Amino acid sequence: MNSWPIQLNLYYYDFLGDSILRKSVIAGNWKMHMTCAEAKSYLQEFIPLIKNIKDDRKVVIAPPFTAISTFSNHSDFDYLDISSQNIHWEDEGAFTAEISPKMLLEHGVSYAIVGHSEPRKYFSESDEQINKRAVFAQSSGLTPIVCVGETLEQRERGEADRVITRQVEQGLENTNPSNLIVAYEPIWAIGTGRTCEAKDANKICSLIRKLIGFDDVIIQYGGSVKPNNIDEIMSMSDIDGVLVGGASLDPNSFARIANYQ
Ligand code: 13P
């Protein structure tokens, strides 16, 4: 049957086909890398490689705050969405080193990473703070990318499900699942070259979907995603995208990941 697909932010609504399809979201987290000049030359190389990307996916990059305007001022900005790497739960105030939604919206940002394992570990970010960031991001019109993940010790003690359940229940309280991305990033797989087996990652992503209770919530996997493992990861039923660190810093690698099969 012919269908009439209409594309909205994170979903395809396929009316005659009577289905709502989740779009996959391929996101690069640049962490504390790239000056404005480096971001500019990256985009010159990267954008031509994703200009013909399939309609069933979105490509997002989370640059450091200083390079965000390099993205929004780029002439081919339409091919990419911008994420911030953090967001505060107030629009302004005495919060040194924080950034607010209205400051980001002014630069065309549409996503905000919250609860990444690095601020959880280095700055003792709690589930309660993560929740406040996610709720305020949504009410400000941004889509939070909320990261969850267990340590190696927790996994070896058989506690992965319990840790993820706590992070999801506390971190996502009062959030709207239709404007949400959850990134499952096992901490032991981040920056180590040690990827979680695709089937194991899929099991946790399925648990997250059940805990949230909304079938169409977008769930990403993150942790040593590379051009050589992206196709297998994206073939999993409950994985709707990836959050990529190291491999997103190279335009060719990230373009290969974005153009997964
Ligand atoms: P790597 O892809 O470098 O393992 O980093 C993953 C990550 O932390 C993305 O947020």
Side-chain angles (χ1 to χ4, degrees):
M1 186 198 286
N2 286 335
S3 63
W4 176 40
I6 289 194
Q7 197 178 318
L8 296 177
N9 189 26
L10 291 171
Y11 305 103
Y12 275 127
Y13 290 78
D14 184 356
F15 288 115
L16 292 180
D18 197 25
S19 59
I20 297 176
L21 304 174
R22 301 192 291 271
K23 273 192 177 208
S24 61
V25 179
I26 307 299
N29 174 10
W30 280 3
K31 307 189 181 184
M32 198 173 70
H33 294 280
M34 300 273 191
T35 61
C36 291
E38 287 165 342
K40 200 171 167 194
S41 69
Y42 180 104
L43 291 178
Q44 265 160 10
E45 229 182 299
F46 181 65
I47 289 187
L49 302 174
I50 57 150
K51 272 195 168 169
N52 296 320
I53 202 131
K54 290 188 185 160
D55 262 0
D56 61 354
R57 59 198 70 179
K58 278 183 161 281
V59 184
V60 178
I61 292 183
F65 297 132
T66 46
I68 284 178
S69 59
T70 305
F71 279 68
S72 48
N73 291 333
H74 196 278
S75 54
D76 276 332
F77 169 56
D78 287 355
Y79 290 93
L80 268 175
D81 284 341
I82 315 172
S83 174
S84 69
Q85 295 182 19
N86 190 20
I87 193 159
H88 197 256
W89 54 83
E90 302 221 5
D91 256 334
E92 55 190 25
F95 300 105
T96 302
E98 293 285 333
I99 192 134
S100 81
K102 74 173 182 182
M103 295 166 183
L104 296 166
L105 287 163
E106 196 180 30
H107 287 276
V109 170
S110 40
Y111 298 85
I113 297 176
V114 303
H116 192 279
S117 64
E118 286 148 14
R120 283 184 194 259
K121 176 176 166 194
Y122 298 124
F123 307 116
S124 305
E125 182 95 1
S126 67
D127 286 318
E128 190 194 352
Q129 287 169 316
I130 289 159
N131 179 247
K132 281 160 78 174
R133 295 186 196 280
V135 168
F136 197 60
Q138 286 189 334
S139 67
S140 307
L142 292 159
T143 303
I145 302 176
V146 180
C147 305
V148 297
E150 80 286 357
T151 63
L152 186 58
E153 296 72 38
Q154 289 165 334
R155 173 160 281 247
E156 284 175 349
R157 287 198 299 263
E159 294 172 3
D161 286 11
R162 195 172 57 75
V163 170
I164 301 300
T165 301
R166 190 205 70 225
Q167 291 177 343
V168 167
E169 285 176 350
Q170 296 181 7
L172 299 182
E173 201 181 341
N174 297 324
T175 54
N176 171 4
S178 67
N179 182 31
L180 174 69
I181 297 178
V182 182
Y184 169 54
E185 297 206 306
I187 295 167
W188 47 272
I190 295 179
T192 59
R194 196 176 152 181
T195 327
C196 184
E197 287 286 321
K199 283 190 181 117
D200 293 340
N202 197 50
K203 261 191 220 155
I204 299 267
C205 293
S206 158
L207 167 71
I208 295 169
R209 196 177 302 286
K210 282 198 193 94
L211 288 167
I212 293 172
F214 178 65
D215 278 353
D216 289 316
V217 64
I218 310 267
I219 303 182
Q220 294 176 320
Y221 166 77
S224 297
V225 175
K226 306 281 179 220
N228 64 6
N229 58 25
I230 183 67
D231 297 333
E232 188 189 7
I233 291 168
M234 288 308 298
S235 71
M236 295 291 121
S237 57
D238 276 294
I239 298 181
D240 309 313
V242 284
L243 186 55
V244 188
S248 72
L249 296 172
D250 175 74
N252 287 299
S253 295
F254 193 45
R256 166 64 186 92
I257 290 170
N259 285 294
Y260 70 88
Q261 304 300 304

